[in-house]
Amino acid sequence: MQGAAAAPDNPYNRCMWKRLFQDKTYKNPAKNLAKNFVQTDLKAFEEEVAKARRAIETQAFSVRNRSALLGALQQHLSGLDGLLILRGDRYGNEFLPPRSERLRFFSGFSGSFGWAVLDFRAGKKSLVASDARYRLQLRAECDDALFETRDALTQHIAPTLCDMFKTGRIGYDPWQISERQLSTIRQQLRVGTNLRLVPVSARRIDALWQGKPPAPLSLLSLRTKRETGESPRQRLERVREKTEEHPLHKQGGTLLLSASDAVAWALCLRASDLPFLPVALGFALVGFAGGKSARGSSDARVQFFSVPRPALTGEDLSHIEMRAEESLAAALDEQARQGSSLLLDAERVPSALVRACRRRKVPLHFAEEPTQALRLRKTPRECANMRRAHLWDGIAWVRFFAWLARSAVRKEVVCEQAAACKLRMLRLESGKLLDESFKTISASGARGAMIHYPTPSEQAPLLRHGEPYLIDSGGQYAEGTTDLTRTLVYGGGCGTEAFRQAYTAVLRGHIALASSLFPEGTNAHALDAIARRALWQKGLDYPHATGHGVGFCLGVHEGNVRIAQQSGSHPLQTGMILSNEPGFYRSRRFGVRIENLLEVVATGRRNSEGKRVLGFHTLSLAPIARAPIFAKQMEAWERGWLDAYHARVRETIAPHLKEAFEQDFLKQATQSLA
């Protein structure tokens, strides 16, 4: 019961449990476990889960005296001068189950990226760091009497430790840090320091966390060929084919997948262990026999190590051997006895797992795990389904904006949280929504300048007439993942001069990127300046990437493809899905962001070097606020792009609207700018 309560409360999870209760045959690998769950009726089960969920949410992060907590932790971890805490779990997830939100419990910071160094020396402040998106949130959530806050990425951990400690023992959780990251930090610490990193078990670190939630438990199901365009066995075959690029393939071996999104993609599994990411927590071992002739042999088995859980009777999981996560150690012992090599990704595998393999003398080979590259390009079926998902999402967005406009005219009281809930409800009415793809950012006025503003669940600020309003939200549908941001002036009006100048420059950058053409093989970072040019000309800029990769019913932030000033991204290829989200943020005044998702498509042309010319197709379907635009600052082709986009939104969405006020809003919102 506690495990079911610790899993997210979303439509997909509730639907799966309902199906299990209605299934009277229990023909699944967890037959006895399933029976235990259905000894009571569905209504009683849901009531008990809801009660347990409320208790978890109330107790998990309740800290009356954080100073006393840190003092007690110092005594509990005696012998250490400090403790490094990263935000993450052993499965490399961006979104975490409550039990893995250790950084939030000890520091109060609830953002999706960050790290802390707890300083146990007398009279010293601890440090909490994140990137520039969370600058204001850090200051708001962290007690400045206890913590210094800083803009710093994970590559700044070693220099920060050297600045804070000239010598000493710094503890860390080896399950919370990747092998590559730990190796990098240690190499940087060796020069001119006497610092030593000391592994500490999660059990010791979290011993003072009295309300630590249990591990989440949800039901397993499969992604179908109708959704992905390929069967689970075909997808595994592609994973194995990708291993041919590594020399290890000739002698055979086993691929270790430790990241939840990689496991979900490779095994075509879906579950609801995490908020916003439909995955089951666990590790996978994928065997591959040497040589092409051995593909599909019995030696090349697939094992999934996770908590025991029911699976629906109708789901064919015969391509996977289900094992308890505790048996992973025995599987590694077997690898060692056979002398079989293990292929793993140092960027993603937890260092504790690497240490366990080395203790057993398992031969290790490091390389990028194959799904990283395979997931970037969606199959033709996935691309078609993504367009369908954006239709459902676009209908909800248009209905939301129409409701928002009518609420303003009627002078109804609307707070940030109520607006976010309304959008979620409208998505639910499609009957297609599995979950949101991240927590909606609903930010009015100056709060829009906080790039990842944590919208309060209670006593949220009201939307005020004449103030900018920024909303960033996405959905997880069986057909795909969406992510969209719009900025408008609530209740009509154009906004201030400064707001309009920034808004127009952001829009011009958005249009410039959306309409870009480029030769096949172009690195995504090469396009970043295109989106910033109009802002740069006004002396403006934004401290985040212009675009990130998006998964297919997986992570809304996916893979090594991103449109950013930093290099290192994969070359752009057809079938990739990325966001287009330039912005501008003026502290204590307003924020502007306009975001759509783009699909990389072929134009049918070739350039002078014989390379295919690629471009973008905008997937998202929602009006872009016209009132704040300084139309005279835009070139004719830019205005033409916006008019054509709005015409497509109107023609696509209008047939699905039933209410007259929604039709009227859409017609007005998509009028020509000219």
Side-chain angles (χ1 to χ4, degrees):
M1 187 65 66
Q2 287 290 314
D9 180 23
N10 60 36
Y12 175 69
N13 201 15
R14 291 195 299 272
C15 176
M16 293 288 285
W17 282 107
K18 184 175 181 180
R19 287 177 60 189
L20 178 68
F21 274 83
Q22 294 170 344
D23 179 2
K24 303 303 181 183
T25 54
Y26 310 125
K27 296 176 182 177
N28 59 65
K31 178 178 179 181
N32 293 332
L33 182 60
K35 283 186 176 180
N36 291 337
F37 274 106
V38 296
Q39 286 176 346
T40 184
D41 60 74
L42 176 60
K43 183 178 180 181
F45 173 79
E46 290 178 337
E47 289 175 352
E48 290 184 47
V49 167
K51 181 179 178 180
R53 180 174 286 118
R54 287 193 297 271
I56 289 171
E57 292 172 351
T58 300
Q59 299 170 10
F61 306 106
S62 177
V63 178
R64 293 183 179 179
N65 188 330
R66 186 160 273 111
S67 176
L69 171 66
L70 297 181
L73 181 65
Q74 174 188 355
Q75 293 180 0
H76 182 69
L77 300 179
S78 59
L80 295 178
D81 297 285
L83 178 68
L84 172 64
I85 297 179
L86 304 178
R87 187 190 181 277
D89 64 3
R90 61 177 58 192
Y91 310 104
N93 291 305
E94 174 186 4
F95 304 115
L96 303 179
R99 70 181 282 105
S100 297
E101 291 276 12
R102 180 185 295 155
L103 179 63
R104 180 180 174 187
F105 176 72
F106 283 111
S107 73
F109 175 58
S110 63
S112 67
F113 168 78
W115 51 277
V117 179
L118 304 185
D119 195 331
F120 294 156
R121 298 171 300 174
K124 297 290 186 179
K125 275 190 177 183
S126 296
L127 171 78
V128 185
S130 185
D131 61 30
R133 296 172 300 168
Y134 292 108
R135 184 179 300 152
L136 299 180
Q137 186 175 336
L138 273 172
R139 296 171 187 167
E141 294 183 339
C142 297
D143 185 346
D144 60 7
L146 301 175
F147 300 102
E148 174 192 347
T149 60
R150 184 180 301 178
D151 290 353
L153 303 177
T154 51
Q155 55 260 44
H156 299 125
I157 289 176
T160 300
L161 289 173
C162 292
D163 288 343
M164 293 178 67
F165 306 87
K166 300 305 178 186
T167 185
R169 292 160 51 88
I170 310 300
Y172 73 96
D173 180 355
W175 282 102
Q176 202 187 37
I177 188 168
S178 74
E179 176 67 11
R180 178 67 51 78
Q181 189 174 26
L182 179 61
S183 175
T184 300
I185 293 174
R186 278 184 165 151
Q187 288 174 3
Q188 293 173 338
L189 290 180
R190 286 174 186 163
V191 182
T193 65
N194 291 315
L195 286 176
R196 181 185 171 195
L197 293 181
V198 181
V200 183
S201 71
R203 182 173 299 177
R204 283 192 66 199
I205 295 173
D206 294 340
L208 302 180
W209 191 354
Q210 299 299 324
K212 183 177 179 179
L217 179 68
S218 59
L219 306 184
L220 287 177
S221 67
L222 282 177
R223 295 188 173 196
T224 66
K225 189 171 184 178
R226 179 175 56 83
E227 294 166 344
T228 65
E230 54 190 353
S231 69
R233 295 185 187 279
Q234 288 172 324
R235 176 151 289 183
L236 279 169
E237 195 61 34
R238 276 216 287 153
V239 172
R240 290 187 173 111
E241 286 175 358
K242 188 68 176 175
T243 65
E244 292 180 13
E245 299 175 6
H246 194 278
L248 178 62
H249 185 273
K250 295 180 181 179
Q251 65 192 66
T254 305
L255 169 68
L256 170 64
L257 296 176
S258 59
S260 296
D261 52 4
V263 173
W265 190 90
L267 275 57
C268 288
L269 281 180
R270 180 182 286 124
S272 191
D273 283 0
L274 297 180
F276 316 126
L277 186 66
V279 299
L281 298 178
F283 300 104
L285 290 175
V286 180
F288 53 91
K292 294 185 178 181
S293 61
R295 286 188 203 152
S297 69
S298 59
D299 294 333
R301 61 178 177 169
V302 179
Q303 301 173 81
F304 178 53
F305 300 85
S306 184
V307 297
R309 66 181 81 213
L312 299 184
T313 299
E315 303 288 357
D316 180 12
L317 300 177
S318 59
H319 66 298
I320 307 171
E321 180 184 341
M322 310 297 294
R323 300 184 64 178
E325 188 166 326
E326 291 76 14
S327 65
L328 179 60
L332 295 179
D333 289 336
E334 183 181 349
Q335 288 277 134
R337 285 194 300 271
Q338 295 178 352
S340 179
S341 296
L342 199 62
L343 181 64
L344 31 72
D345 190 338
E347 290 280 0
R348 314 198 79 190
V349 66
S351 66
L353 208 46
V354 175
R355 290 173 63 205
C357 292
R358 285 175 172 156
R359 283 198 304 268
R360 292 168 170 81
K361 301 188 184 320
V362 177
L364 300 181
H365 298 265
F366 294 98
E368 181 181 271
E369 54 93 352
T371 79
Q372 283 279 80
L374 293 172
R375 283 183 286 142
L376 294 180
R377 297 187 69 182
K378 279 55 180 176
T379 67
R381 179 69 58 82
E382 287 172 334
C383 288
N385 283 335
M386 282 286 272
R387 297 187 184 207
R388 190 172 295 111
H390 280 83
L391 169 62
W392 306 129
D393 210 52
I395 295 167
W397 274 105
V398 170
R399 296 184 64 199
F400 169 75
F401 287 134
W403 168 82
L404 202 63
R406 188 171 67 168
S407 297
V409 170
R410 294 178 173 181
K411 294 183 169 50
E412 296 174 351
V413 176
V414 179
C415 72
E416 294 170 343
Q417 180 62 20
C421 289
K422 180 66 176 182
L423 178 56
R424 184 173 187 270
M425 185 195 75
L426 292 171
R427 282 190 171 116
L428 282 169
E429 289 183 7
S430 70
K432 307 288 184 179
L433 187 73
L434 305 180
D435 194 4
E436 294 174 294
S437 58
F438 56 96
K439 183 180 179 182
T440 295
I441 299 168
S442 177
S444 60
R447 288 165 291 277
M450 194 181 297
I451 300 172
H452 275 201
Y453 171 64
T455 305
S457 298
E458 298 179 359
Q459 297 180 332
L462 300 179
L463 275 59
R464 300 188 182 279
H465 286 252
E467 280 192 348
Y469 173 58
L470 184 154
I471 181 164
D472 184 349
S473 184
Q476 290 282 14
Y477 300 84
E479 293 91 349
T481 302
T482 70
D483 182 4
L484 184 142
T485 308
R486 291 292 183 266
T487 310
L488 53 90
V489 177
Y490 181 67
C494 303
T496 65
E497 171 80 11
F499 172 77
R500 296 186 69 191
Q501 291 284 354
Y503 184 92
T504 304
V506 169
L507 175 58
R508 294 186 67 197
H510 179 97
I511 293 172
L513 180 60
S515 57
S516 295
L517 300 177
F518 46 90
E520 187 171 29
T522 297
N523 196 295
H525 84 269
L527 303 183
D528 183 82
I530 293 174
R532 298 180 191 265
R533 181 175 180 271
L535 284 156
W536 285 350
Q537 288 178 327
K538 293 180 180 292
L540 310 178
D541 205 353
Y542 49 95
H544 58 74
T546 299
H548 54 81
V550 177
F552 174 77
C553 200
L554 264 181
V556 72
H557 304 123
E558 180 181 87
N560 295 329
V561 56
R562 55 200 301 265
I563 301 172
Q565 291 177 303
Q566 299 82 12
S567 60
S569 176
H570 281 271
L572 291 170
Q573 302 175 69
T574 56
M576 289 182 173
I577 309 291
L578 303 98
S579 69
N580 173 9
E581 50 181 310
F584 177 72
Y585 312 91
R586 179 150 289 168
S587 180
R588 296 185 294 275
R589 292 184 63 184
F590 62 81
V592 178
R593 186 161 64 251
I594 300 172
E595 176 185 18
N596 285 333
L597 295 193
L598 307 174
E599 177 190 344
V600 181
V601 296
T603 64
R605 297 159 46 192
R606 292 188 178 272
N607 69 3
S608 59
E609 301 299 316
K611 295 182 179 179
R612 288 200 307 168
V613 175
L614 307 181
F616 293 118
H617 169 72
T618 296
L619 293 168
S620 307
L621 296 166
I624 295 171
R626 295 162 48 255
I629 300 173
F630 276 128
K632 291 183 179 180
Q633 294 184 7
M634 298 178 66
E635 297 183 19
W637 72 268
E638 294 171 328
R639 296 193 296 270
W641 183 96
L642 184 62
D643 289 346
Y645 174 73
H646 276 154
R648 182 162 70 91
V649 170
R650 183 173 60 250
E651 293 166 4
T652 305
I653 303 297
H656 301 275
L657 301 178
K658 298 178 181 179
E659 299 288 344
F661 80 94
E662 295 171 346
Q663 290 278 4
D664 292 342
F665 167 82
L666 179 60
K667 183 177 180 180
Q668 182 178 5
T670 57
Q671 288 179 355
S672 173
L673 192 62

